[in-house]
């Protein structure tokens, strides 16, 4: 309980008094019910935030791409066109829900739900600040990688159920790509886990500090390489360009989501944008110090939490910008090049990193290269 | 209380999906129902306090094996082959005669009684401390045990996996033209 959002709230006197008051009025120990209510409200708020993030992702994508192509982009609905995402959502919500006649109805219904459940499941371990984490599981990274593989399953089943050649090809490409690129991504995570000594985000962020010197990115040469391997891997796992083969417009119309309309399409689109957010958050927590602020200003108080959340969202937004930037600058890769890159380059490099980190720990312990240089 | 609710939900999910896997006639649906069953088993592990095992279950079975299964189903046959028509299923003749059924029934009885005996022990022990107040992490213990007491098993299994990897690479290698 101590590593959850309930644990954070229960350390305040007001909450303790509230629990006591509820217990005395209800006549039994109300701490579990209060804990349940806190969990429920936090999850609902996070769900709303997640949906907003997905919407903001689509808006950012359109606006940044417009900026790079010297167009104004969406600018009619609201200031700078920011209400455009609400308009888009209403349009998708009101659209007719069409299921192709020859489609597999059951799989067609279940595929978008699987995709979005997989992404929302990872939000449970998202380290927004030291207190605002729904549950800092001991196996947080393991759990996140496991539950997010439902997205790959959703994409694959969506492609299969549509009974269309384009969707089928897109779904197969998506599944193959996600399963392959999981390996370098997990190995790069392990490089950091070796130094952190734990799979929970609390353990990973404990040894990092606010300044860039304390980040795992600049801890030693191996983690520095691991960050780039991880970054390329997450681009492929979230089907972003230059790895957007599952939905490549020029060959497959729209890939696995060609036949989906209305809310079902919106689920796939939201899942993609939220997944980019989640993997960017993991990148920031693993390599860039996550929510840590320099000199720990604010500490554990509520102001400190707000500052930490601001730090977290700033870092994630920067990574998100780079992801979109890459999408609108690089051309798409070919399928065989994609697999060659994964199996012949990224995976051996990731293994090399892992062994190198183990050797580093054997000789220097947990010291960073700055410790070795300046002492 | 909370643990019981989680247990009942995951047990229901496991059993119902497992039954659906057996009784569905479409092999692709069977794979999707299997997903529910595997997630239910992960939930059961969680109620037993085995958090590492639950996460591994999700990672290995849902993330890897299930996708590979669906790939295999899709690559090995068209949609018509996937439907198992009920008529042909009923036309399979019953195997065995009275003697084998009697022996089979007796064996099932013995196995069932042994099973209940085993479950009774576990149930007794579980009811003693049914509410796990201090939820302990297992991942450190498992990690330590793997590289100290059970290091030989660990190494042997890694050699086995390496063999499987090399075998898969050999099979998948394109045949060179002479």
């Amino acid at each position: 309980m101590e590593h959850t959002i309930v644990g954070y709230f229960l350390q305040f006197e007001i909450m303790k008094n509230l629990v006591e008051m509820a217990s005395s009025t209800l006549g039994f120990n109300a701490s579990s019910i209060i804990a349940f209510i806190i969990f429920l409200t936090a999850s609902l708020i996070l769900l709303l935030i997640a949906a907003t993030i997905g919407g903001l992702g689509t808006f950012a994508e359109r606006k940044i791409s417009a900026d790079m192509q010297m167009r104004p982009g969406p600018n009619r609905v609201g200031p700078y066109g920011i209400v455009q995402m609400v308009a888009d959502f209403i349009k998708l919500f009101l659209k007719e829900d069409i299921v192709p006649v020859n489609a597999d109805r059951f799989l067609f219904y279940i595929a978008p739900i699987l995709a979005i459940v997989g992404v929302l499941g990872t939000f449970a371990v998202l380290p927004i600040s030291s207190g605002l984490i729904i549950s800092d599981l001991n196996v947080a990274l393991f759990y996140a990688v496991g539950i997010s593989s439902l997205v790959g399953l959703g994409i694959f089943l969506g492609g299969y159920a549509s009974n269309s050649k384009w969707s089928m090809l897109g779904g197969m490409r998506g599944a193959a790509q996600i399963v392959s690129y999981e390996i370098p991504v997990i190995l790069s995570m392990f490089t950091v886990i070796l130094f952190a000594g734990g799979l929970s985000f609390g353990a990973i962020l404990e040894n990092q500090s606010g300044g860039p010197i304390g980040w795992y990115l600049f801890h030693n040469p191996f983690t520095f390489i691991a960050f780039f391997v991880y970054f390329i891997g997450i681009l492929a796992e979230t089907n972003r360009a230059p790895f957007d083969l599952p939905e490549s417009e020029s060959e497959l119309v729209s890939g696995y989501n060609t036949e989906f309309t209305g809310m079902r399409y919106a689920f796939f689109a939201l899942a993609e944008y939220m997944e980019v957010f989640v993997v960017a958050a993991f990148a920031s927590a693993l390599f860039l110090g996550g929510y840590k602020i320099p000199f720990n200003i604010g500490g554990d108080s509520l102001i400190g939490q707000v500052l930490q959340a601001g730090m977290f969202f700033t870092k994630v937004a920067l990574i998100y910008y780079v992801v979109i930037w890459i999408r609108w600058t690089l051309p798409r890769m070919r399928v065989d090049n994609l697999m060659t890159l994964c199996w012949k380059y990224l995976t051996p490099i990731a293994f090399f990193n892992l062994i190198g980190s183990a050797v580093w720990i054997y000789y220097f312990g947990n010291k960073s290269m700055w410790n070795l240089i300046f002492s | 209380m909370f643990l019981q609710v989680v247990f009942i939900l995951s047990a229901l999910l496991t059993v119902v999906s497992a039954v659906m896997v057996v009784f569905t006639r479409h092999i692709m649906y069977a794979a999707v129902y299997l997903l529910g069953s595997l997630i239910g088993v992960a939930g059961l592990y969680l109620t037993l306090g085995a958090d590492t095992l639950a996460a591994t279950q999700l990672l290995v079975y849902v993330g890897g094996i299930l996708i590979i299964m669906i790939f295999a189903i899709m690559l090995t046959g068209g949609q018509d082959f996937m439907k198992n028509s009920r008529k042909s299923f009923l036309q399979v003749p019953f195997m065995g005669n009275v003697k084998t059924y009697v022996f089979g029934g007796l064996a099932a009885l013995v196995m069932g009684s042994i099973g209940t005996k085993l479950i009774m022990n576990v149930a007794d022990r579980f009811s003693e401390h049914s509410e796990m107040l201090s939820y302990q992490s297992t991942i450190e213990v498992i990690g330590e045990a793997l590289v100290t007491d059970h290091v030989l098993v660990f190494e042997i299994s890694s050699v086995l996996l390496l063999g499987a990897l090399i075998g898969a690479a050999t099979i998948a290698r394109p045949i060179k033209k002479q």
Side-chain angles (χ1 to χ4, degrees):
Chain A
M1 274 293 172
E2 58 263 38
H3 296 301
T4 58
I5 194 164
V6 178
Y8 176 73
F9 276 115
L10 284 184
Q11 69 184 356
F12 295 118
E13 283 299 316
I14 309 168
M15 289 305 291
K16 279 179 190 165
N17 292 338
L18 189 74
V19 171
E20 272 175 30
M21 217 168 69
S23 301
S24 58
T25 40
L26 290 170
F28 58 90
N29 190 2
S31 55
S32 59
I33 287 183
I34 299 266
F36 180 73
I37 291 170
I38 295 175
F39 266 133
L40 194 69
T41 0
S43 311
L44 286 177
I45 291 170
L46 204 62
L47 190 68
L48 290 177
I49 293 176
T52 319
I53 285 167
L56 278 176
T58 58
F59 175 70
E61 173 101 53
R62 298 172 71 169
K63 207 68 184 170
I64 293 168
S65 69
D67 194 32
M68 283 174 187
Q69 297 165 348
M70 301 180 79
R71 314 182 263 119
N75 60 352
R76 291 304 160 103
V77 199
Y80 303 103
I82 198 159
V83 197
Q84 181 70 46
M85 60 180 195
V86 182
D88 282 347
F89 181 77
I90 292 171
K91 185 191 110 184
L92 283 174
F93 195 71
L94 295 177
K95 277 215 169 176
E96 188 190 351
D97 179 29
I98 301 169
V99 181
V101 179
N102 285 326
D104 199 324
R105 293 189 86 87
F106 171 68
L107 296 178
F108 197 81
Y109 287 148
I110 212 169
I113 297 171
L114 277 181
I116 205 144
V117 163
V119 181
L120 288 176
T122 50
F123 272 82
V125 292
L126 207 66
I128 295 174
S129 76
S130 60
L132 291 175
I133 173 166
I134 297 276
S135 177
D136 193 11
L137 298 172
N138 286 305
V139 286
L141 271 177
F142 235 41
Y143 162 81
V145 173
I147 200 92
S148 64
S149 57
L150 281 179
V151 182
L153 200 62
I155 286 173
F156 187 47
L157 285 179
Y160 170 80
S162 303
N163 197 15
S164 138
K165 299 281 185 293
W166 289 313
S167 305
M168 185 71 150
L169 282 173
M172 279 177 75
R173 284 180 180 184
Q177 182 174 321
I178 289 170
V179 170
S180 307
Y181 274 82
E182 237 169 33
I183 292 162
V185 164
I186 294 177
L187 286 174
S188 309
M189 282 178 173
F190 278 153
T191 314
V192 171
I193 288 166
L194 273 186
F195 289 101
L199 286 167
S200 71
F201 281 109
I204 287 162
L205 288 163
E206 200 184 345
N207 294 327
Q208 302 191 62
S209 64
I213 287 177
W215 294 352
Y216 277 130
L217 175 61
F218 301 118
H219 189 275
N220 62 53
F222 300 112
T223 47
F224 187 74
I225 304 170
F227 173 71
F228 292 98
V229 173
Y230 179 83
F231 192 77
I232 297 170
I234 60 171
L235 285 181
E237 273 214 55
T238 51
N239 305 328
R240 299 291 300 183
F243 305 109
D244 61 345
L245 290 153
E247 42 190 317
S248 45
E249 305 88 9
S250 48
E251 337 160 7
L252 298 179
V253 186
S254 182
Y256 60 89
N257 54 27
T258 308
E259 306 285 343
F260 288 85
T261 53
M263 277 314 282
R264 291 180 205 291
Y265 169 73
F267 273 7
F268 273 128
L270 274 184
E272 184 188 327
Y273 284 103
M274 288 193 302
E275 204 187 4
V276 176
F277 178 82
V278 168
V279 289
F282 288 171
S284 88
L286 283 166
F287 295 99
L288 304 177
Y291 55 70
K292 291 272 182 172
I293 22 180
F295 312 114
N296 201 12
I297 303 163
D300 262 353
S301 64
L302 269 179
I303 301 165
Q305 298 297 324
V306 173
L307 283 177
Q308 285 179 351
M311 195 64 165
F312 168 80
F313 281 114
T314 316
K315 280 175 184 167
V316 176
L318 280 176
I319 299 175
Y320 211 123
Y321 183 81
V322 175
V323 170
I324 294 175
W325 177 13
I326 287 174
R327 168 161 188 180
W328 294 98
T329 34
L330 290 183
R332 187 176 304 130
M333 287 187 90
R334 232 167 51 203
V335 169
D336 56 335
N337 285 347
L338 179 89
M339 288 297 154
T340 312
L341 178 70
C342 177
W343 292 107
K344 290 192 178 162
Y345 295 97
L346 291 184
T347 311
I349 291 172
F351 269 117
F352 165 76
N353 270 329
L354 196 62
I355 294 166
S357 313
V359 172
W360 182 283
I361 286 181
Y362 183 74
Y363 281 111
F364 306 122
N366 216 350
K367 282 181 192 159
S368 69
M369 55 182 176
W370 312 111
N371 280 351
L372 294 175
I373 292 168
F374 297 116
S375 67
Chain B
M1 181 60 202
F2 181 67
L3 268 181
Q4 267 87 342
V5 172
V6 173
F7 173 77
I8 290 167
L9 283 180
S10 0
L12 268 180
L13 183 65
T14 312
V15 173
V16 171
S17 335
V19 169
M20 298 283 271
V21 169
V22 179
F23 284 103
T24 184
R25 283 157 65 197
H26 197 302
I27 193 163
M28 203 66 160
Y29 292 0
V32 175
Y33 291 134
L34 191 64
L35 170 73
S37 192
L38 293 172
I39 290 177
V41 172
L44 288 181
Y45 287 148
L46 268 188
T47 56
L48 294 171
D51 50 353
T52 317
L53 204 55
T56 315
Q57 168 90 8
L58 273 184
L59 185 68
V60 173
Y61 282 94
V62 178
I65 289 179
L66 203 70
I67 289 184
I68 301 294
M69 267 184 182
I70 293 179
F71 252 116
I73 291 169
M74 214 181 64
L75 293 177
T76 47
Q79 212 164 8
D80 297 332
F81 294 107
M82 289 178 191
K83 277 180 185 152
N84 188 3
S85 81
R86 182 155 287 175
K87 202 175 153 196
S88 65
F89 182 70
L90 283 178
Q91 278 170 353
V92 175
F94 287 108
M95 288 172 284
N97 48 26
V98 178
K99 209 167 22 174
T100 50
Y101 281 124
V102 168
F103 273 107
L106 281 177
L109 216 71
V110 172
M111 298 279 276
S113 59
I114 292 171
T116 25
K117 205 81 175 170
L118 286 175
I119 289 169
M120 260 165 61
N121 272 333
V122 178
D124 278 348
R125 260 185 49 209
F126 191 63
S127 60
E128 274 170 29
H129 34 93
S130 54
E131 287 291 323
M132 279 176 292
L133 290 175
S134 56
Y135 191 75
Q136 279 202 329
S137 160
T138 55
I139 188 153
E140 288 93 353
V141 188
I142 288 178
E144 217 173 286
L146 269 184
V147 290
T148 51
D149 293 347
H150 304 287
V151 69
L152 185 65
V153 180
F154 184 65
E155 292 297 331
I156 289 174
S157 59
S158 64
V159 170
L160 176 75
L161 288 178
L162 185 67
L165 205 64
I166 294 170
T170 315
I171 292 170
R173 206 170 56 166
I175 301 159
K176 276 180 193 159
K177 281 170 197 157
Q178 299 289 326

